[in-house]
Amino acid sequence: NVSGTSDSAITITKTAGTLPTGLSLGSTVSNTATISGTESGTQTAATTYNFTLTATDAESQTATRDFSITIQPATIANSGMFT
């Protein structure tokens, strides 16, 4: 969750960069926005996604912050035995 504080309602938007495929920034409720979803695709190496979120209040005041999410490839433990 990403949240902001103001004496008026806040809208949080992604203003630059990319979220991993399948993830999205939900609508702002009570000055909090949630990034949710299920990452899709096949990662063969760690991939970092950089993006910027901007909070804007009713008086058009803004605050901007940079974030990153790193998706690691899935690992499967295999004992070499099937039953």
Side-chain angles (χ1 to χ4, degrees):
N1 291 338
V2 178
S3 62
T5 303
S6 176
D7 55 358
S8 62
I10 294 175
T11 301
I12 300 172
T13 55
K14 182 178 69 64
T15 52
T18 305
L19 290 172
T21 302
L23 298 186
S24 62
L25 179 65
S27 60
T28 306
V29 178
S30 299
N31 296 343
T32 300
T34 301
I35 295 173
S36 62
T38 301
E39 193 277 329
S40 60
T42 303
Q43 297 292 124
T44 57
T47 303
T48 300
Y49 299 85
N50 299 300
F51 56 97
T52 302
L53 299 181
T54 300
T56 306
D57 70 9
E59 290 82 30
S60 298
Q61 298 177 85
T62 62
T64 301
R65 297 289 180 265
D66 296 324
F67 295 89
S68 65
I69 295 175
T70 300
I71 305 295
Q72 300 288 340
T75 57
I76 300 173
N78 182 353
S79 66
M81 298 175 58
F82 294 93
T83 56

